[in-house]
Amino acid sequence: MKILGIETSCDETAAAIIKDGQKIISNVVASSLALHQKSGGIIPEIAAREQLRCIIPVIEEALGQKLNKKKPSIEAIAVTVGPGLIGSLLVGVETAKGLAYLWQKPIIPINHLQGHLYANWLARKEPSFPALGLVVSGGHSDLVLMKSHQQIKWLGGTRDDAAGECFDKCARLLNLGYPGGPAISQEAKKFKEKRASINLPRPMIKSNDFDFSFSGLKTAVLNKVKKLKEKNKFNAKVVSEMSFEIQEAITDVLVKKTIKATEKYEAKSLLLAGGVSANQRLREKMREKTNSKIDLFIPPPNLCTDNAAPIASNAYFNFLPQPFAKIQANSSLTIEEMIK
Ligand code: KG4
Ligand code: ZN
């Protein structure tokens, strides 16, 4: 079965065709990133306008045909309905409805955060349940237990900033531009020592729950930068060292809490998902800390960041088409909410 996936929850406009939930036939992503780089963050109005401009050409490229030529050989359409930026979500949702009506195909609404997890079903091997998922993106840091495709339990999440948001805000303090995760990761590589002389906090690393908190880390970076600037010591070398320590602090906490959750819930698989899971250091540490009893799944970086392939895969494994009236963009959907 071939499913067309559509994803427009943030600044990407993405479409993909997936066969039987696992085989990528095509995966097209257009990003408005360059237009946001000057401002150091996404401007929702600009993102949605770009998505309106790109959505039809992106879907045509994924299908390999013009929309008005013939009915494409797909069985269903999957679309992200939330969470995300409301203007952006509406572009994908309303386009999907229009195409479903035109081609008389079923439409399956998908939760963006659950969708991220399905990048792990695009691997050669299928994850087994119970699976522990870490979803770390620009807007979310969640730990979930998947007992089956339909049973997702939220174990904990960030109480303030998401891990990606922390990378982005710290990068802005260090004048490294947007998006901050890849920028900090690049800078950190220039620091060649094992340990930094600057020490940053590992917030909530010892707390007896599965929650995170990253806003204190950002404030600690802000204070350090201020002091260094006052002493005229804010230079390129310090920026690399701070980047190294920021990356170590964020990944230390993510790894510690995730491994603790896999042990408590006796997970058979560990699934990394979301833009931050593209981080090489996080991947490396997670590989070091998992034992042989657990299968660690880490999608390739292009499937970690926003794209439509996992959205279509999710729809295959949870084939729950809905009537048009029930398919509504919902910017504040939580990771546990199944859409049916
Ligand atoms: O999942 P995603 O593409 O979009 C959202 O749903 O938010 O995640 C974007 C986030 C940004 O905060 C970005 O800085 C972060 O993922 N990110 C990374 C890396 N690549 C993207 N963070 C750390 N290291 C990376 N290599
Ligand atoms: Zn995302």
Side-chain angles (χ1 to χ4, degrees):
M1 175 191 278
K2 280 195 214 160
I3 297 181
L4 164 67
I6 298 175
E7 154 65 45
T8 61
S9 65
C10 193
D11 61 325
E12 276 84 12
T13 310
I17 311 286
I18 302 298
K19 187 168 179 228
D20 298 336
Q22 289 187 292
K23 189 171 186 316
I24 301 175
I25 308 288
S26 62
N27 191 14
V28 181
V29 182
S31 171
S32 58
L33 191 65
L35 301 174
H36 307 287
Q37 260 154 350
K38 262 195 225 149
S39 56
I42 310 276
I43 303 167
E45 167 86 13
I46 293 180
R49 278 173 192 263
E50 274 303 293
Q51 283 160 326
L52 268 180
R53 205 172 61 77
C54 295
I55 186 98
I56 301 296
V58 163
I59 294 173
E60 288 184 335
E61 193 179 331
L63 290 169
Q65 65 163 80
K66 292 280 177 202
L67 295 188
N68 57 1
K69 285 286 180 247
K70 59 174 186 212
K71 247 189 190 183
S73 63
I74 55 156
E75 275 76 43
I77 300 174
V79 64
T80 298
V81 293
L85 304 171
I86 192 68
S88 295
L89 289 166
L90 281 168
V91 175
V93 169
E94 297 310 316
T95 305
K97 282 186 188 169
L99 294 176
Y101 182 76
L102 175 71
W103 298 328
Q104 291 297 296
K105 300 286 178 194
I107 176 165
I108 301 144
I110 297 294
N111 179 323
H112 176 75
L113 298 171
Q114 294 174 10
H116 266 305
L117 287 162
Y118 279 81
N120 295 290
W121 268 266
L122 296 164
R124 264 171 295 125
K125 190 176 154 191
E126 260 190 61
S128 22
F129 297 115
L132 202 290
L134 171 70
V135 183
V136 266
S137 67
H140 293 84
S141 307
D142 290 307
L143 274 168
V144 290
L145 180 68
M146 284 182 88
K147 289 190 186 160
S148 70
H149 288 292
Q150 279 81 37
Q151 286 174 286
I152 299 189
K153 186 174 180 263
W154 182 79
L155 304 177
T158 186
R159 295 187 181 175
D160 38 60
D161 292 356
E165 192 177 353
C166 184
F167 269 116
D168 294 338
K169 288 180 175 169
C170 290
R172 201 184 318 180
L173 293 172
L174 299 177
N175 300 325
L176 294 175
Y178 182 84
I184 287 195
S185 172
Q186 272 308 104
E187 260 317 298
K189 281 187 194 149
K190 297 182 192 161
F191 182 74
K192 303 290 179 201
E193 323 274 315
K194 279 232 156 67
R195 262 173 213 281
S197 59
I198 301 163
N199 292 318
L200 292 173
R202 270 68 173 156
M204 294 183 76
I205 197 160
K206 291 192 177 141
S207 70
N208 204 15
D209 52 33
F210 296 110
D211 284 350
F212 302 105
S213 165
F214 292 107
S215 75
L217 180 55
K218 169 198 67 192
T219 311
V221 172
L222 174 71
N223 292 336
K224 289 259 184 235
V225 169
K226 257 195 200 157
K227 275 196 190 137
L228 287 163
K229 282 188 176 165
E230 277 164 16
K231 290 182 191 161
N232 237 347
K233 285 186 176 166
F234 187 71
N235 53 37
K237 197 167 158 273
V238 161
V239 168
S240 310
E241 188 168 357
M242 294 258 306
S243 298
F244 173 89
E245 179 63 5
I246 291 163
Q247 180 168 261
E248 288 306 308
I250 295 175
T251 52
D252 275 352
V253 183
L254 292 176
V255 172
K256 181 88 181 171
K257 290 267 165 103
T258 305
I259 299 297
K260 195 169 114 183
T262 59
E263 287 163 359
K264 176 165 181 187
Y265 293 97
E266 295 177 0
K268 290 190 176 144
S269 325
L270 170 55
L271 316 176
L272 299 197
V276 178
S277 59
N279 185 274
Q280 291 301 334
R281 190 70 182 119
L282 177 67
R283 297 155 86 93
E284 193 179 287
K285 283 187 184 171
M286 216 54 106
R287 281 193 198 102
E288 276 168 19
K289 299 287 179 201
T290 40
N291 62 37
S292 56
K293 280 190 249 158
I294 190 158
D295 253 337
L296 172 63
F297 287 77
I298 309 182
N302 67 317
L303 296 180
C304 290
T305 46
D306 285 349
N307 73 104
I311 303 304
S313 172
N314 188 343
Y316 175 83
F317 290 104
N318 298 275
F319 200 82
L320 299 164
Q322 299 298 318
F324 274 25
K326 279 195 151 185
I327 300 166
Q328 304 288 345
N330 178 352
S331 60
S332 54
L333 212 57
T334 67
I335 195 164
E336 273 186 329
E337 285 175 75
M338 298 303 295
I339 306 157
K340 53 186 171 189

